[in-house]
Amino acid sequence: MKTAHLGFWAIGLVAVMGAFAVGYAWKPAIAPLSGAPAKFSADEVARGERLVALGDCAVCHTAKGGPRNAGGLPLPTPFGTIYSTNLTPDRETGIGGWSYPAFERAMRHGVAQDGSYLYPAFPYTAFTRTSDEDLRAIYAYLMSQPAVKTDNPPTHLPFPYNQRILMAGWNLLFLRAGVYQNDAARDSQWNRGAYLAEGLGHCSACHTPRNALGAEKTGVAHFAGGQAEGWNAPALNRQSTAPIAWNRESLYDYFRHGYSAYHGVATGPMGPVVGDGLSVQSEDDLRALAHYMASHSAAGPTNTDQEQAQHLNQQSYGGLRPVAGSGARIFSGACMACHHDGDSPKLFGVRPSLALNTSVHDDSPDNLLRIILDGIHEPARGDLGYMPGFRHSLNDQQVADLASYLREQFARKPAWQNLAARSATLRQESAH
Ligand code: HEC
Ligand code: HEC
Ligand code: HEC
């Protein structure tokens, strides 16, 4: 076929898409609520509160230091900064005028009450899996909270992304709207876990890599590791770099307590996911979530986690060379007192063994560098303890020496490259 013909077909395609945009993409506004707000049962509101926690609504919809769920938090995306919105029942600036059908349409189809399309920085592609019963409870909870009037900055993305109607095409390509459907080949606990993880939990929003249009990749890429607020969200499938494979018990511990003795702690963006969300879920639901997530892990060796941990600790800590080299010196001076092999008494909170930690074994050094520079000041749960940051006592070369030493001594994996430059970049990014 000649190029001219291709051009002709392209014009045809654009025309068809234009017709599509006008005919199908246009969504009507849903009439605002009139009269007094509805009353909901205390039971439903309480259930809604726990579901809202699982969905991390407040994590995204609360500005730093601002009123809960009143929006205004900037979310940087490759397409520009998107501001979260006010989810309190204020009629003018929040969702006070939204009927349940309007709320449901937003959660399932990413379309706001006035008919405009929402950006998928709002994880409706996952929330769409949520049952009607659960969506109603979330609505009941949100509508029962105090109304807060806000003056949040509006979202202005550069052209063409400011054309929200384009999201109709994006949805056509990437949104599979609809409630989670049970997989008949799996048991009910697995299906319950999948419902929570793939729906309100939106785990894949962070733990799955995205394509050029910002949509999650699918198939074997599901849970193959992604990005969140400048951190790496590690792979949770067979590509996981955790030195001991995650299983039902360790995942359960991590979700409930923010800590697994055979892995480590939830620190960065995972901190609030656990602290505000997972740790308050019911026993049955957390077990189901752990069961489902464990089904993605590689099968571990037959010896127990404890045996593997002992072996890895012995190999790394037992083989510590006499203090030679800058990295080893910094480690013994700055880290060793707290991060010994875990056998000695624990004085303040937990002491993750670096031999078992994904951040030392990961392909990218970023999470380890961030923890060294900034420490851990907001533990997922208070009883985990705090770690000081070293941005003021170590320069970039020292941070690099330390990280390469940890990599060699504790992970025995290929060295990371350009560590000093990376440390400088991250130091600047997270400067407060
Ligand atoms: C990862 C961050 C994130 C999470 C988690 C999140 N949201 Fe949002 N949400 C957003 C952003 C950003 C917008 C604005 C999108 C836009 O402007 O197109 C938004 C918009 C909305 C809207 C449309 C409101 C309006 O005025 O147009 C609703 C409704 C909503 N979210 C409900 C929820 C609920 C309920 C939860 C928890 C179950 C939740 N969101 C969790 C980021 C998030
Ligand atoms: C005063 C004690 C203390 C010192 C000193 C200390 N840490 Fe920590 N570290 C902790 C605690 C406590 C945690 C867990 C905190 C939490 O999650 O609440 C932690 C967590 C970590 C983690 C995260 C583990 C994970 O599971 O993600 C890494 C990595 C780490 N430390 C590395 C270091 C390095 C490298 C040094 C030396 C530069 C160091 N720490 C110095 C107490 C300390
Ligand atoms: C906002 C982004 C985000 C969401 C949503 C999220 N995670 Fe994470 N997760 C991370 C990041 C980043 C890390 C690694 C660093 C840290 O601790 O923050 C992580 C770490 C983890 C780890 C530890 C992995 C390892 O090898 O150390 C597990 C397990 C995990 N997440 C499971 C989940 C599950 C299950 C869900 C859904 C219920 C979920 N995550 C939702 C960002 C997220």
Side-chain angles (χ1 to χ4, degrees):
M1 199 188 283
K2 276 194 242 145
T3 353
H5 289 115
L6 283 175
F8 175 78
W9 283 111
I11 292 166
L13 196 65
V14 168
V16 169
M17 286 180 57
F20 166 81
V22 174
Y24 298 89
W26 183 80
K27 293 278 187 277
I30 293 181
L33 285 176
S34 55
K39 289 265 176 285
F40 304 95
S41 80
D43 267 9
E44 194 173 30
V45 171
R47 228 165 52 73
E49 181 170 18
R50 216 166 58 196
L51 294 165
V52 160
L54 177 64
D56 299 327
C57 316
V59 175
C60 284
H61 282 274
T62 307
K64 223 174 160 75
R68 195 171 173 78
N69 280 330
L73 183 77
L75 298 164
T77 75
F79 313 100
T81 298
I82 299 178
Y83 290 90
S84 65
T85 55
N86 182 352
L87 291 186
T88 75
D90 180 56
R91 281 193 74 96
E92 259 174 69
T93 63
I95 60 169
W98 289 41
S99 61
Y100 174 73
F103 178 75
E104 193 221 332
R105 185 173 70 172
M107 295 293 280
R108 283 205 206 295
H109 303 281
V111 176
Q113 184 235 343
D114 66 3
S116 61
Y117 281 82
L118 295 162
Y119 294 117
F122 163 44
Y124 60 87
T125 48
F127 293 162
T128 187
R129 301 278 167 268
T130 309
S131 71
D132 207 48
E133 197 193 359
D134 284 354
L135 283 185
R136 277 183 190 280
I138 292 174
Y139 179 76
Y141 169 77
L142 291 173
M143 296 303 261
S144 312
Q145 298 308 298
V148 180
K149 196 174 287 306
T150 52
D151 192 12
N152 292 332
T155 295
H156 287 304
L157 298 190
F159 184 82
Y161 307 114
N162 59 352
Q163 303 299 305
R164 286 179 177 265
I165 193 85
L166 289 179
M167 291 301 120
W170 192 96
N171 287 346
L172 194 68
L173 291 172
F174 303 119
L175 171 66
R176 299 284 165 271
V179 181
Y180 175 76
Q181 299 297 315
N182 280 344
D183 178 345
R186 303 286 193 157
D187 60 53
S188 63
Q189 194 189 32
W190 188 95
N191 276 304
R192 176 69 186 163
Y195 169 78
L196 299 169
E198 305 294 349
L200 279 176
H202 67 284
C203 314
S204 65
C206 293
H207 287 280
T208 295
R210 291 177 184 268
N211 66 19
L213 291 175
E216 288 171 29
K217 296 184 177 170
T218 54
V220 290
H222 193 54
F223 292 139
Q227 293 286 316
E229 299 152 48
W231 291 69
N232 290 310
L236 301 176
N237 61 7
R238 285 171 177 70
Q239 296 177 46
S240 162
T241 53
I244 299 178
W246 286 96
N247 57 34
R248 296 165 70 144
E249 289 70 35
S250 52
L251 285 166
Y252 173 83
D253 282 348
Y254 186 88
F255 298 156
R256 177 64 81 209
H257 308 292
Y259 172 63
S260 155
Y262 305 118
H263 296 271
V265 289
T267 43
M270 193 61 196
V273 172
V274 169
D276 301 352
L278 299 180
S279 63
V280 303
Q281 301 304 315
S282 73
E283 190 67 16
D284 285 354
D285 277 355
L286 274 200
R287 295 272 173 209
L289 184 64
H291 177 42
Y292 171 71
M293 294 308 296
S295 73
H296 293 80
S297 294
T302 47
N303 49 351
T304 63
D305 281 4
Q306 198 186 354
E307 286 161 356
Q308 293 179 64
Q310 249 163 12
H311 172 72
L312 288 167
N313 279 332
Q314 202 154 27
Q315 178 179 293
S316 307
Y317 285 93
L320 284 186
R321 279 163 288 136
V323 178
S326 149
R329 264 199 313 278
I330 297 167
F331 175 71
S332 76
C335 322
M336 186 72 160
C338 293
H339 293 281
H340 45 63
D341 64 3
D343 284 331
S344 319
K346 296 180 173 70
L347 294 178
F348 311 100
V350 298
R351 293 291 181 269
S353 159
L354 299 181
L356 312 181
N357 205 246
T358 298
S359 64
V360 183
H361 290 75
D362 216 357
D363 296 342
S364 147
D366 287 12
N367 290 6
L368 180 63
L369 295 176
R370 282 186 190 281
I371 294 166
I372 295 174
L373 288 169
D374 294 323
I376 300 174
H377 300 289
E378 289 176 20
R381 291 167 46 109
D383 52 358
L384 296 175
Y386 301 80
M387 170 174 150
F390 291 84
R391 68 164 52 232
H392 300 299
S393 45
L394 299 177
N395 64 31
D396 292 321
Q397 192 53 52
Q398 290 170 318
V399 170
D401 290 349
L402 172 61
S404 7
Y405 168 76
L406 296 174
R407 179 75 167 172
E408 187 190 339
Q409 182 68 34
F410 291 96
R412 293 152 188 259
K413 284 190 168 171
W416 287 312
Q417 303 301 316
N418 304 323
L419 281 170
R422 194 64 195 148
S423 167
T425 306
L426 298 182
R427 184 190 290 269
Q428 199 158 21
E429 244 177 49
S430 61
H432 351 259

